[in-house]
Amino acid sequence: MFVAVATILAGTQAHAQSTTGAITGQAPVAAGETVLIQGDSGLSREVAVDDKGRYAAGQLPLGNYTVILRKNGAEVQKRSGVALRVGASVDVSFAAQEAQALDAVTVTGNALPAIDVAAVDSRSVITADQLAKLPLARNADEVARLAPGVIANSGGYTGPTGQRLNSFGGSAASENAYYINGYNVTDPQRGLGGISLPYGAIDQQEVYTGGYSAQYGRSDGGVINQVGKRGTNEWHYGAQILWEPDFARADSVNTYYTNGLPASPVAGSLYKPNRPNRDWVTTVSSYVGGPLVKDKLFFFLAGEFEREEGVTHNAVDNVSPDVHYRYDSPRWYGKLDWNITDSHILELTSASSKRETQGTIYDYDYTSGVRGDRIGTADNIKTGGDLWSAKYTGYITDNLTVSALYGKMKLDQYDQPGDYDESLTYVDGLINQNPALNGGSPRGNNQTVQTLVDPGRSTRSTNTRIDVTYTLGDHTLSAGIDNQVTQAIDQGSTASAGGYYWSYGKADPNVPISTGLGVPATGGFPNGGQGYYAIRHVVSSLASVRATQRAQYIEDKWQVSDRWLLSLGLRNDQFENFNRDGDAYVTQHRPQWAPRLGFSWDVNGDASFKVFGNAGRYYLGLPLNPGLNAAGASLSTSQYFTYGGIDAQGLPTGLTAFSQPVSSNNYYGILPDPRTVTAQNLKSEYQDEFILGFQKTAGANWVYGAKATQRILRSAIDDYCDVDRITAKAAALGYDVAATNSCYLFNPGRANTFTLIDVNGNDVSVPLSNKELGFQSLKRRYYALEGFLEHPFDGTWYAKLDYVFSRSYGNTEGQLRSDLQQTAASTSEDWDNSFIMEHTNGVTNNDHRHQLKLYGYYQVTPEWLVSANLSLVSGSPKICLGYYGPDFTDPGKYGGSYHYCDGKPSPPGSQGRLPWIRQLDIGTTYRPAFADGKLAFTASVFNVANEQRPLNIYPYSQTDPGVADPQYGQAQVRQLPRYVRFGVTYDF
């Protein structure tokens, strides 16, 4: 069956995550027994009880169900109010003594086992009811941080609509996957987040932290899966207004220079005046859902509009000092469910989540704190996008189920300047100007636009998925395909005005600025005696690229006995990436086998004690980003000048060039031959994961457990930019080559063979051992010990406590460098040359040794509910980077980015740790009795203690060789200050 499905449908594309649940159980063994399952959306399924007394109904749409045991068509026992959880199996068993009664026995309410003994993975599920009660910021990543081992990434990365992204189990923030109703909504260009549903439209949010089955892949971090609400046979509608007023928001803390002052300070030690910043948010939402045709056709429609306004004050060296901004975030969601028959279901989903930014830029007096004249209009930026998908589910027989999903998504990246004056050249670094030439005050102009992009810039994806499930005795067999096509359209940028911009710097006049790039000291050139210089940057990069990712899987969930379940799966992924001309530069069609093995042991046979384990391999496809740089024709050069004057527009005059145009990454605007872009036999990034744990009930009201996890990164892809080392090896082998590549994609930490083109146009192979490349072996390892204690909601209160002790260590974070806030996934600064990787072995940027989370709510009276969410997370490692070695050289052409601090080796973690991140959020809900529970007033306070501790600090200790960087140690990313949210909700 697997081979047939894969062969017939090999040309389609897909990816998905679970949107359904299952009902299974045990019944007395008797002839003529069946189980009838009826949903609140009209779906009805009747399945047989086998000769061992077992029954199972899988892939049921989420909702509330009534489960009826029947004998020869007559009702014997009934369970009502059975609520499904996404991806989980709910046990509804019938007692023999009750089933033997002649009259029907009805049990109302979902008093079911708290432990899912059919699950071998690690995940958390938050329901719409819990989302409404807990004090949470309203996005998918914030909700996901309730799960153990999930922390806010320290790099300050944000998704398509501005939400802060997470790190799962030590992985980089780009290595996660996001889904809406089974559709992959992950940003395909860099893997940084995805769009999400309107908050009130979320039925359940599932967060995988490890161990998921062979049906899913393309993530070695975590998975966030949102399932939207659907219409039922009852009409429901509601509306909500939320308000976060500025008067209830605490002041942010100012940022100061921490390591001396620049050449031309603007306001003494003040670097960024955050205290006068202001911000307020208003959100309006509504929904409606119900039957169009009872028991047959249903719809659900939800809309949400959020407006955030405020004032932000940028750093003293920013060309946009004072910005009055406005963010408009419209989101909507629609779902149509058609029960064609009880055996055939069709679901149509459409969703949109966007963000539009606009504002006005003013001058600002940093000394007096007074707003100045209007400079212009800020860029008009539109991000986020739309998706639609269709899913068919067919219950062909009691044992055979088939499902298919197809959909498309477009993410906008529109960015157009406001009052753009093409006659003005952009100039920054004004605080480094020679004060003797500017009268002691930085001098600039009103050009706020550094680069220009194509207004049609966007990304697109197409997904298709086919799944076939067949139950054969004790085996539940699944097979299918999971393919995806992604595109990045009109990406890249060009420098504004004349295609270039300027920046200023100050160095030691007697020390070369960059030995690697061949940039000498300023002292030997006119006007360079004091070390002042200017850089002319030329930037241009425009292209459209695409990628295909295909996979096939087969899986067997084998109920070995009543207490033992084995999950045996095998997945095969294939990836292919294409450059701007449509030529493939990555072709990974050979089998990439990803086995998934899991078990669950129902120790007591009553779902009160489960021991489980999982071992799996997870492949990660290459994002689109490398097609725009390593495989593209990017132009990015810098030429150094001394200067003798500064004109009225802040541009340097009296120029003397003391370098040629140079580029750290060899970006000289030449499209490389696609045959040469990657090392031969390039392996995909993949990770092995091992989990062992248990869950146990303690009486009727408590569940506790523990789990051990280990993750080992086996392979990664990054770019290697030391082209001279490769060409030197080619020359040693007798080849006459002239490489034009900027960088090569390769597997770091192992031997690689590169393809070059000789002067006659022939391919030649140039092998380099890992020692010749100058590297250690690749290392990223993560281990964690987790314990939890949970009190399920009993009508009065709910609480869950999680503690995780973990360690993430090695010489790479993965696809990103969050300490540098780099967004170039799979082409980070890591591995670009051997010098940049010296002294990198240590704890990784996402290492947080201790994580404690406590959240819950208490129904004080029928009208009043209080809630809280407490998080205590130990800080990430401090980073100190500088020029190379005690002589402050630059052998790798990367300036002050080496793991040296004041000339001494500075591996990650050697400088200590950032402080603990502590946050307490509290909330209350009042539902007056006179409104019959339909009206609610809410209030939440976030970051009650107003602790604005740093998550990330500025890591560069030197601006130039031997010259201290005044910003070193500054907080780059902080906790948000305390703020309050009020709300009014009406549901009917």
Side-chain angles (χ1 to χ4, degrees), residues 386-459:
D386 308 296
L387 78 91
W388 70 266
S389 66
K391 181 183 179 184
Y392 162 78
T393 303
Y395 308 110
I396 310 303
T397 69
D398 285 351
N399 296 326
L400 177 62
T401 302
V402 176
S403 67
L405 180 141
Y406 177 81
K408 292 188 175 185
M409 179 181 71
K410 178 184 177 184
L411 295 179
D412 296 320
Q413 296 173 322
Y414 180 89
D415 185 346
Q416 285 301 289
D419 298 331
Y420 171 58
D421 186 346
E422 64 179 9
S423 68
L424 296 178
T425 300
Y426 182 91
V427 56
D428 67 9
L430 306 182
I431 57 175
N432 296 314
Q433 289 176 342
N434 187 341
L437 302 176
N438 62 14
S441 298
R443 184 182 299 168
N445 61 58
N446 287 341
Q447 179 61 276
T448 61
V449 180
Q450 185 183 59
T451 57
L452 300 170
V453 300
D454 191 302
R457 187 175 63 162
S458 64
T459 62

Side-chain angles (χ1 to χ4, degrees), residues 721-949:
C721 304
D722 194 350
V723 177
D724 293 343
R725 188 173 296 212
I726 299 175
T727 55
K729 179 64 181 291
L733 295 173
Y735 300 129
D736 188 1
V737 299
T740 58
N741 297 65
S742 60
C743 302
Y744 295 86
L745 295 174
F746 81 131
N747 293 130
R750 63 178 64 175
N752 285 263
T753 299
F754 301 91
T755 300
L756 279 73
I757 310 297
D758 69 13
V759 293
N760 298 315
N762 300 315
D763 297 1
V764 298
S765 296
V766 181
L768 278 86
S769 67
N770 196 41
K771 183 177 180 180
E772 289 175 307
L773 291 168
F775 294 130
Q776 306 170 348
S777 297
L778 174 79
K779 184 194 294 186
R780 186 185 77 187
R781 294 197 174 193
Y782 170 85
Y783 66 79
L785 298 174
E786 172 199 336
F788 80 91
L789 177 65
E790 183 177 20
H791 182 281
F793 188 61
D794 59 1
T796 301
W797 67 288
Y798 168 86
K800 186 173 183 181
L801 172 68
D802 277 296
Y803 170 72
V804 177
F805 172 83
S806 64
R807 187 166 182 245
S808 182
Y809 61 97
N811 52 22
T812 184
E813 180 181 339
Q815 288 188 337
L816 301 173
R817 278 283 301 270
S818 59
D819 59 331
L820 308 183
Q821 299 182 287
Q822 290 183 331
T823 59
S826 290
T827 54
S828 73
E829 194 170 285
D830 276 353
W831 308 105
D832 284 6
N833 57 70
S834 61
F835 307 100
I836 209 75
M837 292 302 294
E838 290 185 22
H839 310 297
T840 55
N841 192 29
V843 292
T844 68
N845 297 314
N846 291 322
D847 180 64
H848 295 266
R849 194 66 50 87
H850 305 279
Q851 301 170 46
L852 187 145
K853 301 176 183 180
L854 173 63
Y855 61 92
Y857 40 87
Y858 185 81
Q859 193 75 49
V860 182
T861 70
E863 294 181 306
W864 285 95
L865 177 139
V866 294
S867 58
N869 180 14
L870 173 67
S871 174
L872 304 175
V873 179
S874 59
S876 57
K878 291 181 180 179
I879 303 296
C880 180
L881 305 176
Y883 278 79
Y884 183 84
D887 296 326
F888 306 129
T889 59
D890 184 17
K893 311 176 185 178
Y894 275 49
S897 297
Y898 304 96
H899 285 272
Y900 283 87
C901 192
D902 195 24
K904 300 176 182 178
S906 177
S910 63
Q911 305 297 321
R913 293 266 181 171
L914 295 176
W916 280 63
I917 305 300
R918 305 179 298 199
Q919 180 150 335
L920 173 64
D921 307 328
I922 59 174
T924 184
T925 302
Y926 171 58
R927 293 185 178 274
F930 67 79
D932 196 25
K934 299 173 183 177
L935 177 66
F937 299 92
T938 62
S940 299
V941 183
F942 298 89
N943 193 4
V944 173
N946 193 32
E947 294 195 359
Q948 301 177 42
R949 297 191 170 189

Side-chain angles (χ1 to χ4, degrees), residues 540-551:
S540 180
S541 173
L542 297 170
S544 297
V545 298
R546 65 185 176 93
T548 62
Q549 300 182 350
R550 293 188 170 95

Side-chain angles (χ1 to χ4, degrees), residues 333-348:
Y333 164 77
K335 192 164 192 296
L336 193 67
D337 293 273
W338 181 19
N339 298 337
I340 304 170
T341 69
D342 283 342
S343 299
H344 302 278
I345 300 173
L346 181 64
E347 304 172 49
L348 301 177

Side-chain angles (χ1 to χ4, degrees), residues 453-758:
V453 300
D454 191 302
R457 187 175 63 162
S458 64
T459 62
R460 300 177 184 180
S461 67
T462 303
N463 290 183
T464 309
R465 183 184 181 97
I466 308 293
D467 298 280
V468 178
T469 303
Y470 184 73
T471 302
L472 181 64
D474 296 324
H475 299 267
T476 300
L477 305 173
S478 300
I481 61 170
D482 171 13
N483 302 334
Q484 176 172 294
V485 171
T486 58
Q487 295 175 283
I489 310 296
D490 297 327
Q491 297 293 324
S493 62
T494 301
S496 60
Y500 63 90
Y501 64 90
W502 289 93
S503 64
Y504 288 94
K506 184 182 185 302
D508 185 324
N510 301 311
V511 178
I513 290 176
S514 174
T515 54
L517 289 171
V519 182
T522 64
F525 298 88
N527 302 310
Q530 294 178 287
Y532 292 99
Y533 63 90
I535 311 173
R536 185 176 185 262
H537 304 275
V538 178
V539 175
S540 180
S541 173
L542 297 170
S544 297
V545 298
R546 65 185 176 93
T548 62
Q549 300 182 350
R550 293 188 170 95
Q552 307 82 40
Y553 78 91
I554 187 167
E555 187 174 61
D556 178 14
K557 289 193 173 181
W558 178 19
Q559 192 72 50
V560 180
S561 69
D562 290 343
R563 300 188 181 190
W564 281 91
L565 171 71
L566 292 181
S567 179
L568 311 171
L570 186 64
R571 181 182 176 91
N572 180 27
D573 285 282
Q574 304 94 44
F575 308 128
E576 192 166 16
N577 290 60
F578 302 86
N579 68 7
R580 71 177 190 188
D581 291 345
D583 298 319
Y585 65 90
V586 170
T587 303
Q588 295 168 325
H589 289 166
R590 293 181 179 179
Q592 299 184 115
W593 300 113
R596 312 283 173 82
L597 308 174
F599 77 91
S600 174
W601 175 28
D602 184 3
V603 179
N604 298 325
D606 59 359
S608 64
F609 182 16
K610 178 180 79 168
V611 177
F612 67 100
N614 195 287
R617 173 164 292 180
Y618 302 88
Y619 281 90
L620 190 62
L622 193 68
L624 294 169
N625 175 70
L628 303 170
N629 42 53
S634 294
L635 173 64
S636 180
T637 63
S638 302
Q639 187 171 14
Y640 291 72
F641 298 83
T642 57
Y643 57 95
I646 301 173
D647 68 15
Q649 301 298 325
L651 304 181
T653 61
L655 299 171
T656 300
F658 64 100
S659 83
Q660 297 296 317
V662 295
S663 176
S664 295
N665 280 333
N666 310 304
Y667 287 156
Y668 292 107
I670 301 174
L671 183 70
D673 189 310
R675 295 172 293 173
T676 69
V677 171
T678 71
Q680 297 176 16
N681 301 316
L682 186 73
K683 297 181 182 296
S684 300
E685 178 171 327
Y686 70 91
Q687 178 173 267
D688 289 339
E689 179 184 70
F690 307 93
I691 296 173
L692 181 64
F694 77 90
Q695 297 175 8
K696 193 177 188 307
T697 59
N701 295 319
W702 293 93
V703 181
Y704 66 96
K707 182 182 70 173
T709 300
Q710 183 177 41
R711 289 179 161 187
I712 305 173
L713 185 68
R714 302 291 190 185
S715 175
I717 297 177
D718 216 304
D719 59 338
Y720 180 71
C721 304
D722 194 350
V723 177
D724 293 343
R725 188 173 296 212
I726 299 175
T727 55
K729 179 64 181 291
L733 295 173
Y735 300 129
D736 188 1
V737 299
T740 58
N741 297 65
S742 60
C743 302
Y744 295 86
L745 295 174
F746 81 131
N747 293 130
R750 63 178 64 175
N752 285 263
T753 299
F754 301 91
T755 300
L756 279 73
I757 310 297
D758 69 13

Side-chain angles (χ1 to χ4, degrees), residues 84-381:
L84 294 191
R85 284 206 169 192
V86 59
S89 177
V90 176
D91 184 288
V92 181
S93 294
F94 299 94
Q97 60 271 24
E98 293 174 346
Q100 292 170 357
L102 295 177
D103 297 327
V105 177
T106 300
V107 179
T108 303
N110 192 12
L112 301 172
I115 297 175
D116 179 10
V117 294
V120 300
D121 49 42
S122 298
R123 62 186 133 125
S124 302
V125 176
I126 302 295
T127 65
D129 181 64
Q130 291 174 309
L131 292 176
K133 293 175 179 176
L134 290 169
L136 295 168
R138 297 164 63 83
N139 63 72
D141 285 89
E142 180 73 19
V143 175
R145 283 195 277 278
L146 295 175
V150 182
I151 53 96
N153 182 266
S154 61
Y157 298 117
T158 58
T161 54
Q163 72 273 23
R164 288 190 177 187
L165 303 183
N166 298 321
S167 169
F168 285 67
S171 298
S174 62
E175 297 173 14
N176 307 320
Y178 296 74
Y179 296 86
I180 290 178
N181 280 3
Y183 187 93
N184 183 353
V185 296
T186 312
D187 160 40
Q189 185 169 334
R190 295 184 176 90
L192 293 175
I195 63 173
S196 59
L197 292 173
Y199 198 74
I202 303 171
D203 185 1
Q204 297 182 26
Q205 178 167 312
E206 182 182 38
V207 180
Y208 279 91
T209 54
Y212 44 92
S213 80
Q215 299 181 41
Y216 312 113
R218 302 177 191 137
S219 163
D220 61 12
V223 176
I224 297 177
N225 177 36
Q226 289 189 329
V227 180
K229 293 179 179 178
R230 62 175 63 219
T232 67
N233 274 324
E234 293 184 359
W235 283 96
H236 293 278
Y237 62 84
Q240 184 180 62
I241 298 177
L242 300 174
W243 182 39
E244 298 173 15
D246 176 58
F247 70 79
R249 181 179 294 265
D251 291 340
S252 300
V253 296
N254 288 339
T255 302
Y256 296 89
Y257 289 114
T258 53
N259 197 32
L261 296 177
S264 296
V266 176
S269 62
L270 177 65
Y271 178 72
K272 189 176 181 182
N274 300 313
R275 186 172 295 277
N277 291 350
R278 293 292 176 261
D279 188 85
W280 56 97
V281 183
T282 303
T283 306
V284 179
S285 61
S286 63
Y287 70 89
V288 61
L292 296 174
V293 179
K294 190 175 182 181
D295 292 336
K296 286 290 183 181
L297 188 63
F298 311 87
F299 85 100
F300 186 89
L301 183 65
E304 178 178 273
F305 181 82
E306 177 185 292
R307 171 166 290 178
E308 180 178 0
E309 292 186 81
V311 177
T312 188
H313 299 81
N314 291 312
V316 295
D317 57 350
N318 196 291
V319 296
S320 302
D322 183 337
V323 182
H324 186 143
Y325 59 84
R326 189 179 82 190
Y327 303 138
D328 287 338
S329 300
R331 307 179 189 94
W332 57 265
Y333 164 77
K335 192 164 192 296
L336 193 67
D337 293 273
W338 181 19
N339 298 337
I340 304 170
T341 69
D342 283 342
S343 299
H344 302 278
I345 300 173
L346 181 64
E347 304 172 49
L348 301 177
T349 297
S350 186
S352 177
S353 179
K354 297 183 178 180
R355 191 186 207 206
E356 181 174 359
T357 304
Q358 52 189 302
T360 304
I361 304 171
Y362 297 90
D363 201 357
Y364 187 74
D365 188 320
Y366 288 92
T367 302
S368 64
V370 176
R371 170 178 286 180
D373 295 335
R374 180 182 184 275
I375 292 177
T377 302
D379 285 12
N380 180 220
I381 301 172

